[in-house]
Amino acid sequence: MKFQLFIVLFLSSVFMSSQAKAQEFASNAAIVLVNNLPLYSKVYDNKRDPFKDAQAAITLAQKTDRNVLIEIGGNWCTWCHKMDAFLEKNPKIYQALHDNYVLLKISVSDSNENEAFMKSLPPVQGYPHMYVSTSTGQMLLSKDTAELLDDLEYSAEYWLTFLRKWQVKNNKEHAHDTSAKG
């Protein structure tokens, strides 16, 4: 009886230890992912050149077989901060985003509206606003991020559906429909 109890306790501790290590590994992987992201994927910066950043994002997308997710917003944007916080709290969505897309944050603000760059894109409906582009620069989607909300909170379900729908493997399906919404 004592031996069986010992085995149960031993196996339980091994299982719990492996669970803790798996969680620690996942957490460390997320930290490494964040640290390895280019600066243009992490912050809105008025001083960055959006054309150079876009070229770098497209080059990275080509090398890694991903689409580019262009996020228009700024440090002044409350909803941009809410979206960043939502992604940080949802590692599965954050991982899906960065596994399938090169994120390019373009800052627009009173001090720098990045007019020349913004003229090359369909009109923004509100902030943050997103566009999905192929690694060749073909625009696939213009998206109001309010469509990712459910009862004024970002929805994990809506985000995952969006990320799955617009990933590289579906580009041929979307390539002819440049007015696509979703």
Side-chain angles (χ1 to χ4, degrees):
M1 185 73 155
K2 286 182 182 179
F3 182 72
Q4 289 173 337
L5 181 60
F6 173 77
I7 295 288
V8 168
L9 289 174
F10 175 75
L11 291 176
S12 295
S13 69
V14 168
F15 176 75
M16 289 170 63
S17 174
S18 66
Q19 288 289 88
K21 287 185 189 231
Q23 287 177 339
E24 180 182 345
F25 177 77
S27 176
N28 288 340
I31 290 168
V32 167
L33 177 63
V34 169
N35 291 333
N36 286 333
L37 292 176
L39 191 57
Y40 59 74
S41 293
K42 296 180 190 180
V43 297
Y44 294 109
D45 185 345
N46 286 335
K47 295 180 177 125
R48 296 190 65 82
D49 180 339
F51 291 102
K52 285 182 182 176
D53 285 347
Q55 187 56 53
I58 286 172
T59 300
L60 181 57
Q62 289 169 347
K63 288 179 182 176
T64 57
D65 194 31
R66 294 184 279 171
N67 280 337
V68 178
L69 181 70
I70 304 167
E71 182 182 313
I72 309 296
N75 295 322
W76 54 267
C77 172
T78 303
W79 282 101
C80 298
H81 292 292
K82 286 182 181 184
M83 190 165 69
D84 285 344
F86 169 81
L87 292 169
E88 284 179 28
K89 291 178 190 170
N90 291 277
K92 181 179 177 181
I93 298 166
Y94 186 89
Q95 191 72 42
L97 167 62
H98 293 289
D99 283 351
N100 294 291
Y101 301 86
V102 174
L103 179 60
L104 171 60
K105 290 188 170 197
I106 302 295
S107 178
V108 292
S109 68
D110 289 341
S111 64
N112 184 356
E113 294 182 6
N114 279 314
E115 288 179 71
F117 186 82
M118 294 306 295
K119 284 181 184 176
S120 67
L121 299 171
V124 169
Q125 304 300 313
Y127 297 99
H129 190 89
M130 296 189 302
Y131 302 93
V132 176
S133 162
T134 66
S135 63
T136 61
Q138 179 185 4
M139 190 62 59
L140 297 176
L141 175 71
S142 174
K143 180 145 189 86
D144 182 355
T145 58
E147 297 170 14
L148 299 172
L149 296 172
D150 184 25
D151 198 25
L152 295 178
E153 295 291 329
Y154 285 107
S155 162
E157 177 187 348
Y158 294 172
W159 262 95
L160 288 172
T161 299
F162 162 71
L163 293 173
R164 285 184 197 118
K165 181 175 181 179
W166 294 97
Q167 60 188 315
V168 165
K169 72 178 186 176
N170 298 327
N171 281 357
K172 287 182 184 175
E173 176 184 330
H174 300 301
H176 303 294
D177 184 13
T178 56
S179 65
K181 297 242 180 200

